[in-house]
Amino acid sequence: MTTTLVHTGADLRAAYATRPTATRAVVMTMGALHEGHASLIRDARARVGSEGLVVVTDFVNPTQFAQGEDFEAYPRTLDDDVRIADAAGADLVLAPSATEVYGDGGGFRPDSVTVDPGPLGDILEGASRPGHFRGVLTVVAKLLGITAPDVALFGEKDYQQLVLIRRMVADLSMTVDVIGVETVREDDGLAMSSRNRYLSPQERATAAVIPLALAAAAAAGIDGPEAAIAAGVAILQEDPAIELDYLVVTDPALGPAPTAGESRILVAALVGSTRLIDNRPARMGA
Ligand code: PAF
């Protein structure tokens, strides 16, 4: 094993000091690593080369979970994570405590300075999970500060998160390069996610309908966004085991759907008690 596990920013900086000129890439995770994360780490390695440093952060961020969400139950598998990160080519795994990231209390204090995601943080996932993107953007800003990377890679699976991180980096004049990496899927098309491990075998089979609905929506997009939505929703409503939250068409930056041209289709649904999200690019119009 060549990957080094560190728990503090000070230890990370000490590791950097041995390779001061190396280009640094960071892959931020909440642990529970799977093949989707491994592909981000491999991509990071390919971008910085053998001389570069690839850092994986492994931190279940309490401030992006609302009351009653799965913060306590979220899978914590650090030993496996380090093994997977190592096999995918990471040099360092940073697994900080909540106190290391947030100071005393391990979360937001009433007087904390935090990142306001703006109106894009209130739609879609933000509408169902109030405060979620304030927590995400604040921890991403903190982890960018701690890891000081040249490039940061995020999966397209969390598309709204990716768009908001790009917006934060642009609007707050941060200098890191943000790279979006295509979603890795299981053989039946289900997007890989740490939350898939909550699904029972029957729910897991049901969940495969979600990428099928996205595909049907994308195909119907030739007749415009309304047809796309109708086609996708129809597929999901056929299965009573799926509770649809939203299926929408937007432009690639999450603005209003174009009647013709590049767009994004995003879906969120509950399968049992597990909330799953997915998305894909599509073209509207002929
Ligand atoms: O996508 C995730 O795993 C998390 O939201 C992130 C970006 C690591 C912030 O906690």
Side-chain angles (χ1 to χ4, degrees):
M1 173 111 68
T2 55
T3 302
T4 304
L5 173 64
V6 295
H7 296 284
T8 66
D11 285 346
L12 187 70
R13 281 186 293 280
Y16 286 178
T18 64
R19 309 260 300 275
T21 58
T23 304
R24 294 192 286 257
V26 68
V27 174
M28 293 183 192
T29 79
M30 295 207 300
L33 298 197
H34 50 65
E35 179 51 30
H37 298 112
S39 104
L40 285 168
I41 297 166
R42 285 194 294 271
D43 193 329
R45 171 57 67 204
R47 283 170 195 278
V48 299
S50 56
E51 297 301 309
L53 274 175
V54 175
V55 183
V56 175
T57 67
D58 189 315
F59 177 59
V60 185
N61 173 37
T63 67
Q64 68 190 74
F65 291 81
Q67 206 81 44
E69 286 188 349
D70 56 346
F71 173 66
E72 300 297 342
Y74 201 84
R76 283 151 173 95
T77 57
L78 185 58
D79 291 346
D80 285 349
D81 295 348
V82 175
R83 207 176 30 74
I84 292 170
D86 183 64
D91 297 292
L92 290 152
V93 172
L94 170 67
S97 67
T99 314
E100 170 73 12
V101 175
Y102 286 104
D104 284 348
F108 291 154
R109 295 179 303 274
D111 62 348
S112 293
V113 173
T114 63
V115 180
D116 179 351
L120 272 190
D122 293 333
I123 61 171
L124 305 174
E125 285 307 284
S128 297
R129 307 180 65 188
H132 172 67
F133 287 115
R134 174 181 176 235
V136 170
L137 292 189
T138 303
V139 83
V140 169
K142 279 172 161 288
L143 292 171
L144 288 174
I146 294 168
T147 59
D150 300 288
V151 51
L153 295 90
F154 296 91
E156 288 186 346
K157 151 86 177 22
D158 295 298
Y159 191 76
Q160 187 176 6
Q161 166 175 287
L162 173 63
V163 169
L164 275 162
I165 290 169
R166 285 192 198 287
R167 284 294 301 265
M168 172 179 76
V169 165
D171 291 358
L172 301 185
S173 307
M174 296 174 165
T175 52
V176 63
D177 252 353
V178 176
I179 309 288
V181 178
E182 212 178 300
T183 303
V184 179
R185 296 179 179 280
E186 305 283 359
D187 288 347
D188 62 2
L190 181 66
M192 286 195 186
S193 163
S194 304
R195 291 198 165 96
N196 290 353
R197 60 185 85 188
Y198 297 157
L199 299 168
S200 69
Q202 201 179 341
E203 289 168 348
R204 171 64 190 78
T206 299
V209 175
I210 293 173
L212 292 179
L214 283 175
I222 194 164
D223 294 321
E226 280 174 22
I229 292 168
V233 168
I235 301 250
L236 292 168
Q237 284 179 340
E238 270 169 27
D239 194 329
I242 296 185
E243 193 186 318
L244 178 62
D245 181 354
Y246 60 76
L247 187 146
V248 296
V249 181
T250 69
D251 74 11
L254 298 181
T259 48
E262 288 310 314
S263 66
R264 203 85 196 177
I265 308 174
L266 301 100
V267 63
L270 272 177
V271 178
S273 56
T274 306
R275 182 183 169 79
L276 298 175
I277 59 173
D278 199 357
N279 68 86
R280 61 170 285 161
R283 270 198 83 75
M284 293 297 120

